[in-house]
Amino acid sequence: MPRPAERVAAADAFLMLAARQDLDEEQFGRDLAALLTGLGCLKVSRVVESLATAAQGGAHPDVAVVPAGLLSGRLTDGTVPAAGLGKLLTLAAECAERSRRRPPPVEGLAELAARRGSSLVLKSARRLPDAMTP
């Protein structure tokens, strides 16, 4: 199966689990983090692509929570690859805004948002806390 087809299949599986309410979104995020950082067998940009596909399928509330598990504590220790991080933070903010579901706090997000600069990562890090406010 070609990789794009695998990503669509992953998004479909995510949608099915979310619809059945059999998905622990935070744990899913932690599991993704292990695959991204520990094993190095995933790329952030590809994870974002699959999560965005799931969000387009109606799973905005579920997708909004995944980055909390994926990123919490990893923003400050540098274990999250920078490539794709801005898109992940943007997706998290968009899903939180659209679903009005308040995701759990992301450890290290405030420190990242406080940095000077105007990169997509920093802009999205500043946007996400606003999306997390009820």
Side-chain angles (χ1 to χ4, degrees):
M1 184 179 331
R3 291 199 186 263
E6 290 173 352
R7 289 191 283 277
V8 170
D12 286 346
F14 184 96
L15 285 167
M16 185 163 302
L17 289 171
R20 285 197 225 152
Q21 298 180 341
D22 284 339
L23 181 65
D24 179 339
E25 298 92 345
E26 259 189 285
Q27 182 60 51
F28 183 75
R30 288 190 290 274
D31 293 342
L32 283 175
L35 293 170
L36 283 164
T37 58
L39 300 174
C41 58
L42 289 178
K43 291 186 178 185
V44 175
S45 59
R46 292 183 181 146
V47 168
V48 170
E49 184 180 321
S50 292
L51 289 173
T53 300
Q56 290 169 356
H60 290 96
D62 305 289
V63 173
V65 176
V66 172
L70 199 158
L71 296 173
S72 202
R74 292 173 183 85
L75 288 173
T76 52
D77 68 8
T79 57
V80 175
L85 180 57
K87 289 182 180 182
L88 178 64
L89 291 170
T90 299
L91 177 65
E94 287 172 358
C95 287
E97 291 164 354
R98 288 190 72 165
S99 68
R100 299 187 186 254
R101 180 173 182 184
R102 186 176 186 190
V106 177
E107 184 184 332
L109 184 63
E111 293 84 355
L112 181 62
R115 292 184 189 169
R116 296 179 63 139
S118 61
S119 69
L120 178 62
V121 170
L122 297 178
K123 286 179 183 178
S124 298
R126 294 180 193 121
R127 179 179 171 196
L128 189 53
D130 291 338
M132 292 166 46
T133 304

